[in-house]
Structure formats: C-alpha cells, structure tokens
Amino acid sequence: GERAVRVRITSAPSTTRLVRVDKEGKVVPDLAESWEPDAKARTWTFRLRRGVTFHDGSAFTSADAAYTLRHILDTATASPQGPVLAPLVDPKRLRTPDPHTLVIPLKSPHADFPSLLTHYNCYVVPDGSAKSIGRTGIGTGPFKLASFTAAGPGRVVAYGDHWAGRPVLDAIDFFSVADMQARANALLAGQVDLLSQTNLDFATARVIAASSRATIARSKNAQWYVLPMLTTEKPFTDVRVRQAMKLAYDPEHIRKVALQGAGTLGWDNPVPPSDPTHIAAHPAHDPERARHLLKRAGHERLAVDLYTSSYDPIFTPMALAYQESAARAGIRIRVKTAAADSYYTQIWMKKPLMATYWYTGRPVDQLLNQVFRSGSSYNETAWSDKEFDALLDRARRETDEGHRRELYGQAQTLVIERGGAITPMFADRLTGISRKVRGYAEHGFEFDYLGIGLKGA
C-alpha cells in the first residue's frame, strides 16, 4: 500500500513527543512511560521508554529529550513553544541522572506542566541534530523520511524497528496541491487517497460523499473559528467596543449560514465544550445593549472593515453572516477579500479585524497562555490584561484540581468579557478520504499514522 496525500501536515509521521493528548483531552504516554511531580509540582521527573531507536539506529535516551527542550528554548530557534516554556524552564537546570530519566526543575510550580509538552513543536530530535534535522528528518516515529521538497512532493517509508510495532502501510507519498478544486479532483480520480487535515467546503464535500471512489470523514469540533479584533488598534482599544462587537451578533445565525447548522456555538469562549475546564456561562446575544455600549464609547455609527480570503472555505460565509447579524445593532461591516497566499503574512495580526481559525486539541493551559497571554507570539489580538495573566500563573501553581478548574473558569470569563477574540463557533473538519482507506483516525493535532491502511494493499 503506497499512496496517500497531504496539504498541511501538523502531526509528523516521522517522530514522536514525550507525551501526547488522547481523544478525551488527557495527557498520555508517548516516549515517556510515566512522570511525577514533587509535592509542590516544582520538579517533574519523566521515566523514558526503553528500547526506542531513532531512524539511524541510535538509541533514544534522556540526552535527546533534554537537547530537544534546550533547542526549543534557544531564542535563535524561534520556536512558537519557546515563549510558552521559557517562563517555567531554565535549560541549564535540566538533569539526566541516567539514560532513561529526565528531571525538569521549574522556575515556579506548575501542576499541569506535562500538557505543555504535547504541542506539535515538541517532537523529540536526536542530541546535537539542530543543523541537520531539516534535511535528515531523523526521529522516532513509525515512518522515516525518504524524500521531501518544500511545497512539493515528499515520501516517508515504514520504519520496521518502531517501538510500537511496524505501521500498516509500507510508505506514504505526500503532494502539495494549493487549489481546493484540484485536490478534490485528484481524490475523485483515484490519484490520491487522503486530503490530509484540509477542511472541505460543503459543496465539495457533497460531491465527494456522493462519489463511488471517496467519502468524507468528520472530525468533531476540530477547529474553532474566530474574528480577532486587534486591541492595540482603534476602535478596539476600548473594551466597550469589543463587548459591543460580541453582543451585537447572533452565533446561531453564523452557525446556520457558515456551517449549515453543524458545529457547536462558541459564545466567544475558545475553550472547547469537551475540555473539563470549559465554562458554559456567557453573556446573551443583545443588540440593544451593544448599541448602548457603542453610544457610551462614542462610536454610535461604527463602521469597520472585516478581512477574509478563500484560504479556508468557512471564512467568507462567517464574515458575511457576522456582517448581517451585527447590522441589527447598527454596526456597519465592510467585508474585504484578500489574497489567500499572503493572508497570514499581510492580514493576520496586521489588520484590526479579520477571519481566522485554530485547531482544537490544545490543553487549556497551552491554549490560554499561547493565544491570550500578554506578549505571546501567537496572541493575535495583542490583548494584554494583568489580571488574566495573574490568573494563569495562579492556576499553574494550584495543585488542587477543583481550585485549578475554578481559576481556568475565571480566566475564560475574562477572555469572554474583556478580550479581543470574537469566537462564534467550533466546527467539524470535513476530510476527503478514499473508500479504500481503513483505520483513519485523527483529533486535534493527533493523526494515527500507525494504524491507517488501505483495503487490498
């Protein structure tokens, strides 16, 4: 069985992390078999799996795990995970008492620390490999890199000595196809077997589902959609304007128009309903209160541009549905369409209001710190709130699970009431797969490369 495809691969078939997130959102073993904190959650000890080898045959040890963390923390690497870990981990204090033990002393206690190592920037690389890893791709995953061309084709082949057993497929070929129609046509023609981690528009999904060759796999609430307001740009510097923008629209209307009724209402809270810390409380849709707040803020006839693009099929329907809904509160939204290929360099975090999305699958501490904490490189609204940051710090130090949940709940309330992110909904991801594919499974950033196979291959 030697065919499959891509578009944007966030999970790597060629390497693994110390820990990963399961379907229930729990942190579970990967290269680390177990881990435990000291009494104050200040020092974490990870026991590493024995008998694991890298693709070049060398043994995986604690030196590789420590090196990976130091590499992430090195500012020259510019890893998005660097700023998340840097307040907690001093790279000089990492200890490797033996080849199968990694000790991570933290600068301050963190009861949920392992959840921060589940991120897709935390794949373990061999000790000393920073300069060569981009070419070799050597890791500990079920497939090893055979070839790769940036924005072109790539190939991975089964690694027979993989610690969890040999994968079902012998090889996977990846192709980069920028155009949605061309991708769908390749699947319908049987040239590819999987449109990897690409959300299909509803019309294309219907065509694929009706074909004899392919079908649709649905990953529930796999993405959350957002209209970020830059809180450093007028008029969104005023919290009353931000609140009015949220109260003005009806999330149900957006869900109906943009998702054809599928998905789950977001109510401006990006923490998914499946997360154990999720709070359901939120202000109600209230166009009259929105008008009142805008009047008090001196923006009675608010008119703003909202940028969108064809980058994702949900962006424009969401923008148009928001425009229609917010008009009832007297807000005039001008929808502007930008080029898809430069959208994330020219528009995202540069224009005061635009459409975007995130993958779910981030544990709550990762999500809130990475996307909303003051100064984070992924903080797309540039929101800065000392009370919110302090809540996150308190939650990290809190070893009592009930209290910690309460603090994360308070943090979510601040995101809803003060933050710059309009979050109308969580959406299922619609993925096109060949009817020959067996064992397809993905959630959040996790994709099962070990179990996926092809009928008759």
Side-chain angles (χ1 to χ4, degrees):
E2 296 198 3
R3 292 168 311 152
V5 78
R6 110 53 174 176
V7 172
R8 185 175 45 245
I9 298 294
T10 54
S11 61
S14 62
T15 192
T16 6
R17 289 146 293 177
L18 292 175
V19 287
R20 61 182 179 83
V21 178
D22 71 3
K23 278 206 292 287
E24 279 70 52
K26 287 203 288 286
V27 177
V28 294
D30 218 354
L31 289 176
E33 281 186 320
S34 65
W35 48 91
E36 67 273 343
D38 62 0
K40 291 198 167 134
R42 183 116 197 200
T43 299
W44 284 83
T45 302
F46 290 80
R47 312 272 171 214
L48 308 183
R49 206 178 283 281
R50 292 162 189 269
V52 176
T53 58
F54 284 102
H55 299 146
D56 61 358
S58 61
F60 157 71
T61 72
S62 53
D64 305 301
Y67 173 79
T68 298
L69 279 174
R70 289 190 189 108
H71 183 54
I72 291 166
L73 289 160
D74 183 348
T75 50
T77 306
S79 167
Q81 197 63 2
V84 175
L85 294 176
L88 291 162
V89 182
D90 177 353
K92 293 187 191 74
R93 293 179 61 215
L94 296 174
R95 297 200 307 274
T96 50
D98 65 61
H100 303 290
T101 308
L102 172 69
V103 180
I104 307 178
L106 303 181
K107 296 177 192 177
S108 55
H110 191 333
D112 262 345
F113 174 70
S115 74
L116 299 181
L117 302 180
T118 62
H119 194 251
Y120 67 89
N121 290 121
C122 294
Y123 288 110
V124 173
V125 297
D127 188 3
S129 67
K131 285 191 170 66
S132 61
I133 193 72
R135 293 188 310 278
T136 65
I138 289 171
T140 54
F143 288 90
K144 61 180 180 178
L145 185 65
S147 64
F148 171 73
T149 323
R155 181 176 174 85
V156 292
V157 295
Y159 180 54
D161 286 337
H162 180 57
W163 55 268
R166 187 188 164 87
V168 172
L169 290 173
D170 297 323
I172 301 176
D173 290 325
F174 297 98
F175 307 91
S176 181
V177 185
D179 179 66
M180 172 72 81
Q181 201 52 55
R183 285 202 290 269
N185 288 343
L187 179 68
L188 291 169
Q191 293 162 339
V192 300
D193 295 299
L194 171 67
L195 303 181
S196 177
Q197 295 188 320
T198 302
N199 196 21
L200 295 171
D201 64 89
F202 292 106
T204 306
R206 271 197 295 274
V207 171
I208 288 173
S211 79
S212 59
R213 225 173 211 156
T215 186
I216 294 298
R218 188 184 282 269
S219 305
K220 189 148 177 55
N221 288 348
Q223 292 167 199
W224 86 84
Y225 281 87
V226 60
L227 303 169
M229 301 176 273
L230 260 183
T231 61
T232 49
E233 297 283 326
K234 288 184 171 163
F236 305 129
T237 47
D238 191 321
V239 69
R240 294 168 298 187
V241 174
R242 302 199 296 269
Q243 287 169 341
M245 291 285 288
K246 292 176 183 182
L247 293 167
Y249 82 99
D250 177 6
E252 186 54 72
H253 176 69
I254 294 191
R255 179 171 76 160
K256 207 162 82 189
V257 172
L259 298 181
Q260 304 194 353
T264 307
L265 299 184
W267 290 108
D268 304 320
N269 183 2
V271 175
S274 57
D275 191 292
T277 67
H278 169 85
I279 56 155
H282 57 79
H285 166 53
D286 192 341
E288 284 315 305
R289 173 138 175 77
R291 277 179 193 274
H292 173 69
L293 282 166
L294 288 173
K295 195 172 182 178
R296 277 180 44 206
H299 286 284
E300 223 173 329
R301 287 181 186 80
L302 184 64
V304 288
D305 293 339
L306 167 53
Y307 284 83
T308 177
S309 84
S310 62
Y311 185 93
D312 180 275
I314 303 299
F315 287 178
T316 299
M318 170 173 66
L320 293 170
Y322 181 85
Q323 175 191 52
E324 198 181 334
S325 196
R328 289 172 202 155
I331 298 172
R332 197 156 68 86
I333 300 288
R334 297 176 293 249
V335 175
K336 307 259 182 185
T337 304
D341 56 2
S342 57
Y343 193 66
Y344 279 94
T345 51
Q346 304 298 313
I347 307 295
W348 186 58
M349 293 176 82
K350 291 190 170 66
K351 298 294 182 189
L353 184 64
M354 47 86 69
T356 188
Y357 75 95
W358 295 81
Y359 281 173
T360 53
R362 287 170 170 82
V364 69
D365 178 272
Q366 170 88 28
L367 191 166
L368 295 176
N369 277 281
Q370 192 176 39
V371 187
F372 297 97
R373 193 185 186 97
S374 305
S376 164
S377 60
Y378 273 17
N379 183 340
E380 62 186 356
T381 61
W383 181 51
S384 180
D385 188 301
K386 285 191 173 68
E387 192 185 334
F388 174 78
D389 294 349
L391 269 174
L392 295 186
D393 290 339
R394 277 177 60 203
R396 287 181 152 182
R397 290 193 298 269
E398 180 55 71
T399 51
D400 179 280
E401 209 171 321
H403 290 165
R404 193 160 69 245
R405 189 176 293 196
E406 218 169 277
L407 292 167
Y408 283 133
Q410 289 171 33
Q412 287 167 65
T413 301
L414 292 188
V415 167
I416 295 165
E417 291 178 358
R418 298 183 196 169
I422 300 166
T423 307
M425 65 216 171
F426 295 88
D428 300 348
R429 183 162 58 239
L430 304 178
T431 302
I433 63 170
S434 155
R435 290 183 185 268
K436 292 192 298 191
V437 169
R438 296 288 178 266
Y440 166 84
E442 71 171 304
H443 60 276
F445 293 101
E446 308 295 333
F447 186 101
D448 181 8
Y449 284 101
L450 202 59
I452 192 166
L454 284 174
K455 182 184 175 189

